[in-house]
């Protein structure tokens, strides 16, 4: 269990670094002055196989919509279910505790007996929704302050001053697990994201605790992330790593008005990521220990190098003696850099593994949204996502879907032509044999019985080939093949899958923008890490050359005296920089892993 928790911690680190890598859905949390009724995407989702169609399990997707007031209190809960009738069953048996059940996409009827439903599916998928009075697994409470004083949403409407909006999340869902042979309860892990769009004519000097800001000049988009209960479940010391359980927005407001806040609570990141991909995190942690030791050697070597250069600068007359100390420091610096460089591959590999995990999650999200794109890689994700963003409108989405369907069908053209040709060959064969006064079954039987000589068989085959090679038959093959290709394209474009993708295209634009922003954030870290490790390798090579050069220092003392001061200053910058890097990067990485 500890190993699993460490993997969950690694996922949380990725999520905290990416901040928003799971796509947006929404949940009404309107503050003061709200008059709009937002759309209702899915904040809480689950996939089960609770339904049964004629003895076969039917996948069931369930989405929970929670509408709240401005203070986060629940006003209503709506549940939407999708029974995926992939086997085309005539009836589907389902269980549901919902009330006010309604078929929202078809005319299929059902009968109910308690919590058991029997759907007359007629081979179709079933989409229905209903109501529930059960509490959601994650509660949200929203409080507001104006110039340091807590106020109600109604009191805040149209007011001006320093405003704080605090989103506090409470995880109410726990599960029993075995840890080191003992049964304990931990919180079911949820990632909670809250998004708010602020009008720049109303809000200025916007800041967020536990989130990110995106400003396009007219609006400021605030995106916050929290993991309620996860800090306690993992037993993490907040001084080592703090996983937030709330989001707080502060801003200067002029005539305060805020229509809608959007919140998503989901455990999808924890269910979909393949934890087996993170099996070598233990090895990475061991390499972190080696890297910490190498960093200490490197800092010691840099300090000694600086001390030696200072001595040379102060006592140029004793430069020959100082050259020995410089040589020792250069050797230790080279050893430290070589030791640090030896961990470059592990460090880069770990960072690449985290990136690949984020990209895998992004691929899952895009596929779930019905976006057919190449698999995202470190190299292509920016171009692919930019292409999605620029193309997500009704016309572009349709043209893109048509192009994809056409390409897929065209790949099958040779097969379609083969099937059409085979069918026409059967017809031609029947006609040729009929002209000889026989049907094909009797002809085949006569051939098997040896009653048809080779010359006759050859003549029949020649006649068939002559017909197949005629312009008329070739034209029929071409026409029938094209007709079948166009029918396949039309059928695919009219399919539920393509139509659902077209309907969801525009709604997914903002999610893709947020996804790219989070991947760009991690890419900046990843690129910086590669630059750092490349610099370490170059520095190690340079240190080796420095070590060799100190051997000939005594023969070149007079030529080096003028450059000693510059070299000493550079060594001081190196020592200070290594100390800062050790404190701000290496030690923090080591502590976390």
């Amino acid at each position: 269990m500890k190993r699993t928790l460490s993997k969950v911690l690694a996922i949380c680190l990725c999520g905290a670094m990416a901040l928003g890598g799971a796509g947006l859905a929404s949940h009404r949390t309107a503050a003061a002055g709200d008059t709009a009724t937002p759309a209702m995407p899915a904040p809480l989702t689950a996939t089960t196989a609770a339904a049964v169609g004629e003895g076969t399990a039917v996948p069931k997707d369930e989405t929970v919509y929670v509408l709240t007031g401005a203070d986060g209190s629940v006003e209503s809960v709506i549940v939407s279910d999708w029974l995926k009738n992939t086997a085309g069953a005539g009836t589907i048996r389902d269980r549901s505790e919902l009330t006010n059940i309604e078929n929202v996409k078809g005319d299929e009827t059902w009968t109910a007996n308690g919590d058991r439903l029997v759907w007359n599916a007629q081979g179709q998928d079933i989409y229905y929704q209903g109501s529930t009075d059960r509490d959601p697994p994650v509660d949200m409470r929203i409080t507001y302050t104006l110039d340091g004083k807590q106020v109600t949403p109604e009191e805040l409407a149209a007011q001006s001053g320093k405003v704080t909006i605090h989103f506090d999340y409470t995880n109410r869902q726990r599960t029993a697990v075995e840890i080191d042979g003992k049964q304990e309860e931990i919180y079911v892990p949820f990632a909670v994201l809250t998004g708010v769009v602020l009008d720049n004519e109303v809000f200025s000097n916007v800041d967020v605790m536990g989130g990110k800001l995106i400003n396009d000049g007219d609006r400021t988009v605030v995106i916050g992330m929290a993991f309620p209960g996860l800090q306690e479940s993992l037993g993490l010391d907040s001084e080592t790593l703090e996983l937030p359980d709330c989001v707080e927005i502060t801003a200067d407001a002029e005539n305060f008005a805020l229509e809608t806040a959007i919140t998503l609570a989901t455990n999808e990141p924890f269910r979909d990521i393949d934890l087996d991909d993170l099996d070598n995190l233990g090895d990475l942690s061991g390499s972190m220990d080696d890297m910490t030791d190498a960093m200490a050697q490197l800092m010691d070597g840099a300090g000694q190098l600086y001390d030696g250069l200072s001595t040379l600068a102060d006592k140029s007359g004793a430069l020959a003696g100082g050259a020995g100390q410089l040589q020792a420091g250069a050797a230790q610096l080279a050893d430290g850099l070589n030791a640090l460089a030896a961990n470059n591959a592990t460090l880069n590999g770990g960072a690449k593994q985290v990136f690949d995990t984020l990209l895998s999650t992004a691929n899952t999200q895009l596929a779930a949204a019905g976006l057919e794109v190449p698999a995202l890689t470190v190299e292509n994700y920016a171009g692919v996502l930019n292409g999605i963003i620029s193309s997500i409108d009704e016309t572009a989405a349709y043209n893109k879907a048509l192009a994809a369907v056409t390409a897929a069908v065209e790949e099958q053209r040779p097969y379609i032509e083969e099937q059409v040709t085979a069918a026409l060959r059967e017809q031609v064969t029947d006609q040729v044999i009929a002209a000889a006064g026989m049907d094909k079954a009797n002809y085949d039987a006569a051939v098997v019985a040896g009653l048809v000589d080779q010359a006759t068989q050859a003549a029949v085959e020649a006649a068939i080939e002559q017909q197949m090679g005629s312009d008329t038959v070739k034209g029929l093959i071409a026409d029938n093949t094209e007709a079948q290709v166009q029918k396949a394209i039309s059928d695919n474009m009219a399919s539920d899958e393509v139509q659902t993708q077209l309907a969801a295209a525009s709604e997914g634009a903002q999610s893709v923008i947020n996804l790219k922003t989070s991947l760009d954030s991690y890419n900046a870290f990843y690129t910086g890490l590669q630059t750092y490790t490349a610099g370490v390798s170059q520095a190690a090579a340079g240190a080796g050359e420095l070590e060799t050069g100190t051997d000939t220092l005594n023969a070149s003392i007079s030529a080096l005296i003028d450059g000693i001061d510059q070299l000493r200053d550079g060594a001081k910058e190196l020592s200070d920089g290594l100390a800062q890097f050790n404190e701000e990067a290496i030690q923090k990485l080591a502590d976390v892993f």
Side-chain angles (χ1 to χ4, degrees):
M1 183 63 198
K2 284 184 176 179
R3 178 168 173 270
T4 300
L5 290 179
S6 70
K7 292 178 179 179
V8 173
L9 172 59
I11 297 169
C12 294
L13 288 172
C14 300
M17 190 175 301
L19 190 58
L24 274 182
S26 72
H27 164 144
R28 188 169 182 266
T29 55
D34 171 55
T35 58
T37 301
M40 300 191 301
L44 303 174
T45 63
T47 300
T48 64
V52 178
E54 300 174 358
T56 302
V58 176
K60 178 179 180 180
D61 277 2
E62 186 164 272
T63 303
V64 182
Y65 305 99
V66 183
L67 299 184
T68 78
D71 61 353
S73 59
V74 176
E75 294 180 346
S76 64
V77 180
I78 300 173
V79 181
S80 179
D81 286 320
W82 175 16
L83 306 181
K84 301 179 179 179
N85 193 3
T86 55
T91 59
I92 299 176
R93 297 190 302 278
D94 187 21
R95 301 186 68 173
S96 177
E97 298 178 358
L98 302 179
T99 59
N100 302 320
I101 293 176
E102 177 185 0
N103 186 337
V104 296
K105 197 176 178 181
D107 299 325
E108 298 82 8
T109 59
W110 77 95
T111 58
N113 183 10
D115 65 348
R116 299 179 181 272
L117 305 178
V118 178
W119 287 92
N120 182 21
Q122 302 178 17
Q124 302 299 313
D125 288 5
I126 301 297
Y127 301 82
Y128 70 92
Q129 72 177 31
S131 303
T132 179
D133 57 1
R134 295 182 61 182
D135 294 332
V138 177
D139 277 357
M140 179 173 65
R141 181 172 179 266
I142 309 172
T143 56
Y144 307 84
T145 61
L146 176 63
D147 295 328
K149 178 183 177 182
Q150 185 166 333
V151 295
T152 66
E154 293 75 17
E155 293 171 337
L156 184 57
Q159 297 299 310
S160 300
K162 175 67 74 174
V163 174
T164 299
I165 307 174
H166 185 88
F167 298 85
D168 195 45
Y169 314 101
T170 301
N171 191 336
R172 298 189 178 278
Q173 191 163 353
R174 300 174 69 95
T175 186
V177 297
E178 183 175 324
I179 302 177
D180 292 337
K182 295 172 58 179
Q183 287 292 323
E184 297 189 18
E185 278 199 349
I186 66 171
Y187 288 102
V188 174
F190 282 95
V192 182
L193 291 92
T194 289
V196 182
V197 179
L198 303 178
D199 188 336
N200 288 353
E201 293 186 359
V202 177
F203 298 94
S204 60
N205 300 321
V206 180
D207 193 16
V208 60
M209 180 186 70
K212 277 192 174 183
L213 304 175
I214 303 172
N215 193 324
D216 67 0
D218 295 324
R219 296 167 298 277
T220 298
V221 179
V222 184
I223 304 172
M225 174 182 280
F227 301 92
L230 197 55
Q231 184 98 24
E232 177 182 338
S233 294
L234 295 178
L236 284 175
D237 183 354
S238 60
E239 293 183 0
T240 300
L241 178 66
E242 185 171 2
L243 298 175
D245 58 7
C246 64
V247 172
E248 185 172 279
I249 303 171
T250 59
D252 293 329
E254 185 72 25
N255 296 324
F256 180 93
L258 178 64
E259 291 189 354
T260 304
I262 303 171
T263 295
L264 162 66
T266 179
N267 63 1
E268 285 295 321
F270 306 96
R271 297 194 304 117
D272 291 343
I273 294 179
D274 186 358
L275 297 180
D276 292 336
D277 289 343
L278 302 175
D279 282 343
N280 64 358
L281 284 177
D283 297 337
L284 183 59
S285 180
S287 297
M288 283 292 179
D289 293 337
D290 295 338
M291 184 173 65
T292 301
D293 294 340
M295 193 69 194
Q297 296 180 34
L298 179 60
M299 293 173 63
D300 289 343
Q304 292 186 29
L305 177 61
Y306 173 69
D307 292 342
L309 288 172
S310 296
T311 300
L312 286 175
D314 294 339
K315 300 179 180 180
S316 58
L319 185 58
Q325 187 178 2
L326 175 61
Q327 185 176 17
Q332 192 169 6
L333 176 63
D335 291 342
L337 282 169
N338 285 331
L340 192 60
N343 289 284
N344 282 353
T346 301
L347 191 58
N348 282 332
K352 177 65 162 56
Q353 186 179 19
V354 171
F355 210 163
D356 287 342
T357 301
L358 291 174
L359 292 169
S360 176
T361 303
N363 282 325
T364 300
Q365 294 167 359
L366 292 174
L371 295 173
E372 297 181 1
V373 297
L376 298 186
T377 65
V378 175
E379 295 77 20
N380 75 356
Y381 86 87
V384 171
L385 294 183
N386 282 333
I388 295 174
I389 293 168
S390 64
S391 66
I392 295 182
D393 61 59
E394 185 175 352
T395 301
Y398 177 85
N399 290 337
K400 181 178 178 182
L402 179 60
V405 168
T406 300
V409 173
E410 284 295 335
E411 288 182 359
Q412 299 300 316
R413 181 181 285 273
Y415 174 77
I416 294 172
E417 184 175 8
E418 178 182 334
Q419 297 301 309
V420 169
T421 301
L424 285 176
R425 179 177 289 275
E426 288 289 336
Q427 297 177 20
V428 168
T429 299
D430 289 340
Q431 293 172 1
V432 170
I433 294 174
M438 300 178 68
D439 60 36
K440 189 173 187 305
N442 291 333
Y443 175 78
D444 289 340
V447 169
V448 171
L451 300 177
V452 181
D453 57 40
Q454 291 295 326
T456 300
Q457 293 181 44
V460 169
E461 288 299 323
I464 292 171
E465 291 303 323
Q466 182 181 8
Q467 289 292 323
M468 291 300 296
S470 69
D471 292 340
T472 300
V473 173
K474 288 181 178 179
L476 284 173
I477 292 173
D479 292 344
N480 290 351
T481 298
E482 183 60 26
Q484 291 299 317
V485 167
Q486 293 304 317
K487 182 178 183 302
I489 292 173
S490 177
D491 290 345
N492 276 277
M493 287 301 294
S495 68
D496 288 345
E497 179 182 2
V498 172
Q499 292 303 313
T500 299
Q501 291 172 5
L502 293 177
S506 60
E507 296 177 4
Q510 188 60 51
S511 294
V512 177
I513 291 172
N514 294 336
L515 177 61
K516 183 176 182 298
T517 299
S518 60
L519 290 176
D520 285 343
S521 177
Y522 185 80
N523 189 35
F525 161 78
Y526 178 69
T527 303
L529 181 63
Q530 289 184 312
T531 301
Y532 156 72
T533 52
V536 168
S537 297
Q538 293 177 1
E545 295 176 2
L546 176 61
E547 185 178 8
T548 301
T550 55
D551 292 337
T552 61
L553 179 61
N554 286 328
S556 307
I557 289 177
S558 60
L560 290 176
I561 291 177
D562 293 338
I564 287 177
D565 287 340
Q566 296 180 11
L567 188 57
R568 179 194 59 189
D569 294 341
K572 179 65 167 62
E573 292 179 5
L574 173 63
S575 180
D576 292 343
L578 287 174
Q580 181 180 0
F581 180 74
N582 181 59
E583 178 182 356
E584 297 180 359
I586 298 300
Q587 290 304 318
K588 288 186 178 180
L589 277 174
D591 290 343
V592 169
F593 276 97

